[in-house]
Amino acid sequence: MRARVLLFAHLAERAGTRELFIETGEGTTVGELIQKLVVKYPQLEKEMAHISLAVNEEIVAPSFRLSDGDTVALLPPVSGGA
Amino acid sequence: MIVEVREEEITVMEAVERLQKQGAGAIVSFAGIVRPEENGQTIHSIYYEAYVSMAKRKFEQIILECSSKGVIDVVVLHRTGVVPVGETSVVVAVSSFHRKEAFETCEKIMDRMKKEVPIWKKYTGEREEWHSAREKRE
């Protein structure tokens, strides 16, 4: 199956991309997907302790199991407003 | 309710005018303005990045959960892109039958926005820095 991954703010800058696709096995959890991601982008590894995860725009735990076509967003600590 | 996350300029008056058309007894509005200094450093502007579709959904959810009895309607406007010092980056306006619920709801929406809505800011000035990258060091 294939998951779409979105990166924002300093994560996108460090990775040099805002969107990427990861092929992975059926039933992969979001946490396992993140482990795959940091193998490809080791510069993100230290940031992973500070992010929230969203799947299809809903916040999920790392144990959440993905389905084909899901969009996973890595959300740094938010800072809207002035 | 009206929720917009957009690059174009936003104003309190725009939000208030949208609520006035609905015959409210009270309108409370909040505007967040970009300050010239952040943590002792001079800045020129703030660059806002949003996960726009999720930010809109999250705002809508927060508005529904925060609107106490007596609230008639809510307008939330948040800018993206470069917002220079002195310009408005966020507006929350609440109309209600009486002032108390409008004040309370406005504050609750702002408090939850700061914690939950996927919008990030980068200070630009003497040096550039993402707030999201700095926060974890504090």
Side-chain angles (χ1 to χ4, degrees):
Chain A
M1 66 167 212
R2 193 162 95 131
R4 177 182 177 227
V5 178
L6 302 178
L7 303 173
F8 297 93
H10 64 286
L11 299 184
E13 286 185 358
R14 283 181 199 172
T17 185
R18 309 191 154 274
E19 181 181 22
L20 54 121
F21 293 87
I22 296 180
E23 295 283 345
T24 185
E26 284 296 323
T28 299
T29 66
V30 185
E32 289 162 352
L33 188 85
I34 297 304
Q35 287 171 9
K36 281 197 162 201
L37 180 77
V38 298
V39 171
K40 195 172 177 188
Y41 296 93
Q43 66 271 40
L44 297 181
E45 189 169 8
K46 283 184 185 169
E47 310 296 333
M48 295 300 100
H50 308 286
I51 62 164
S52 299
L53 299 163
V55 174
N56 303 330
E57 302 181 2
E58 296 290 342
I59 299 292
V60 298
S63 58
F64 183 90
R65 292 200 180 278
L66 293 166
S67 301
D68 187 41
D70 278 348
T71 296
V72 179
L74 277 59
L75 309 175
V78 303
S79 54
Chain B
M1 76 176 79
I2 294 171
V3 174
E4 292 182 3
V5 179
R6 68 184 204 207
E7 285 193 20
E8 295 80 19
E9 194 177 337
I10 59 175
T11 65
V12 171
M13 278 315 297
E14 169 192 353
V16 169
E17 281 169 7
R18 288 173 169 193
L19 294 174
Q20 277 174 333
K21 289 172 187 163
Q22 298 163 30
I27 296 176
V28 166
S29 63
F30 170 83
I33 315 291
V34 176
R35 291 182 293 255
E37 195 178 87
E38 282 291 339
N39 292 338
Q41 298 224 346
T42 302
I43 66 164
H44 302 147
S45 60
I46 294 179
Y47 173 80
Y48 289 93
E49 181 178 322
Y51 184 5
V52 175
S53 55
M54 183 176 172
K56 284 182 176 172
R57 275 176 63 162
K58 204 72 200 171
F59 269 131
E60 287 167 4
Q61 181 191 345
I62 290 169
I63 290 167
L64 287 174
E65 290 173 6
C66 289
S67 294
S68 50
K69 196 179 170 189
V71 168
I72 298 169
D73 205 356
V74 176
V75 174
V76 171
L77 310 172
H78 201 300
R79 283 189 68 182
T80 58
V82 177
V83 182
V85 165
E87 289 194 14
T88 304
S89 58
V90 60
V91 170
V92 176
V94 181
S95 64
S96 62
F97 294 111
H98 304 289
R99 69 182 183 281
K100 191 178 175 200
E101 54 262 35
F103 275 115
E104 285 174 357
T105 299
C106 188
E107 184 164 34
K108 280 184 199 167
I109 291 170
M110 277 304 299
D111 287 347
R112 286 192 56 186
M113 182 207 77
K114 291 267 185 185
K115 293 175 190 156
E116 298 176 40
V117 177
I119 297 175
W120 302 273
K121 59 186 171 190
K122 179 160 77 171
Y123 303 114
T124 56
E126 291 166 352
R127 62 194 177 111
E128 294 199 348
E129 184 176 38
W130 283 100
H131 185 89
S132 51
R134 185 170 71 188
E135 190 177 70
K136 65 179 189 289
R137 297 200 303 266
E138 290 170 353

